[in-house]
Amino acid sequence: MLRFLGRFSYRLYIFALVVAVVIVAALALFRPLTTAIHTAAFAAQVLPSPVKPQPWLASEPEHVVAEFPRYDGSMGNGDIYVIPDGKRRAGLLIFLGANAAGADDPDVVNLGRALGRAGFAVMYYWSPTMGEQAQVDAGEVASIVAAFDHLRRQEFVDPDRVGLAGFSVGASFALVAAADPRIADGIAFVNAFGGYYDTADLMVQIAAGRAIDNGGDVPWEVDRLTRQVYDNMLTPASESPAARALLEGTESVAEARARYAELPESFRAEVDSIAPSHHITQWSANTVMRVMHDRGDPLIPVGESRRLVQALQQQRPDVSVYYTETDIFRHVRPDAETDLKSMLAGAFQLYRHMYHIVAVARQPSR
């Protein structure tokens, strides 16, 4: 009996070893399977999931505080998450925008580590004006460009596989930065989550308390954080009667448009400079555009991303674009109050959206 159990255990061990070898070989030879596993693990890591297998699949990323020279001569700050194994990895620069969570925010840290385990060298760029003071600073577009250039020059980054990602206002700034000729041809993809398409249109919607969508407009209860950033934007022009009217609010979108047209031309030109709508012709055809928005977003209406995607499809058919709408976020953070059925559906949508992004990280370096 003992001899039989010994032979059985030995055969079980050999079987398990063979299965393990087959699995490892399949993962090594069949890259889509590897990408699928890592994408699913990423989605579980960033969403409210009871099981988070990502730490079983990859080592803990190292956290490195980065400094880099900006184009104005000052120093910029960032946080990098990368697995320190000597490999050259795909790079990903993330900009969180105005009134953003900081470097120590648990969701920010978790996202950086999750993307690091998925295979990226991730760098957050922190804006001293936008992140800390809830300002919208057009000069930060050049800082994003400098941060992107800094990341792709790192020895652990494959310069042929570097992408940009942004959240909220940061998504729109990432799109504008992607049009800069200094980096445009070197951007593998842009992932824009919860951004706006046209800055002036967004300001008009805030003033009127109505969201533009599908050719019309609907009532919109403007979130206080959106209102704070909007008020700060109008402060430089607050001496003009038009700016005061926009700060007080208008009765309709048409009235808001008329008031906006009365603002100083220099102010409107700066607003246009940070509008993706004014840069759509400058994006490289080699850059894949991935756009995501939550349907119930209280900070930036979903119609903004819908118009961005529509404009891309009509004006830039040479640019690949992929659009995802979900119901599981509150603006850009996972909503813990989402019911299980919606969360599962949203998790699958996030998986599909992220699959081709993670695939960039799983490609071998050239």
Side-chain angles (χ1 to χ4, degrees), residues 120-309:
F120 284 103
V122 184
M123 176 175 170
Y124 288 102
Y125 166 61
W126 306 112
S127 165
T129 52
M130 293 181 63
E132 299 173 12
Q133 302 174 23
Q135 300 282 354
V136 173
D137 183 356
E140 285 300 89
V141 172
S143 297
I144 296 170
V145 173
F148 182 91
D149 193 45
H150 174 78
L151 177 62
R152 68 178 174 180
R153 291 176 185 272
Q154 299 309 298
E155 61 181 9
F156 49 78
V157 172
D158 179 354
D160 294 326
R161 296 184 294 142
V162 187
L164 263 173
F167 293 74
S168 189
V169 172
S172 302
F173 268 63
L175 288 164
V176 174
D180 191 293
R182 289 170 289 191
I183 63 171
D185 290 335
I187 302 173
F189 65 87
V190 177
N191 190 47
F193 186 8
Y196 61 81
Y197 173 57
D198 187 275
T199 328
D201 267 357
L202 180 61
M203 296 181 72
V204 162
Q205 293 170 82
I206 295 169
R210 300 189 70 83
I212 302 170
D213 197 14
N214 295 322
D217 56 83
V218 296
W220 172 34
E221 185 176 349
V222 182
D223 188 272
R224 64 177 182 83
L225 295 178
T226 301
R227 177 71 64 179
Q228 179 185 4
V229 175
Y230 168 78
D231 290 350
N232 289 342
M233 284 186 69
L234 280 169
T235 297
S238 59
E239 293 183 2
S240 102
R244 290 196 294 271
L246 289 169
L247 285 167
E248 292 171 1
T250 64
E251 295 295 326
S252 67
V253 169
E255 181 187 352
R257 288 195 192 283
R259 289 295 190 180
Y260 182 83
E262 297 170 2
L263 291 173
E265 183 178 353
S266 59
F267 177 86
R268 288 184 283 117
E270 184 167 317
V271 167
D272 288 344
S273 73
I274 54 172
S277 59
H278 286 259
H279 297 275
I280 196 167
T281 60
Q282 299 165 288
W283 293 327
S284 170
N286 297 323
T287 301
V288 176
M289 296 294 178
R290 305 192 74 81
V291 184
M292 191 172 181
H293 216 116
D294 196 76
R295 294 186 188 93
D297 191 333
L299 275 76
I300 296 179
V302 66
E304 290 297 299
S305 285
R306 290 172 179 171
R307 285 199 300 283
L308 166 63
V309 172

Side-chain angles (χ1 to χ4, degrees), residues 338-361:
T338 303
D339 64 87
L340 179 60
K341 181 178 179 181
S342 298
M343 183 60 72
L344 290 174
F348 180 66
Q349 290 173 316
L350 178 63
Y351 167 86
R352 289 197 306 173
H353 184 90
M354 289 298 301
Y355 177 87
H356 294 285
I357 294 176
V358 174
V360 174

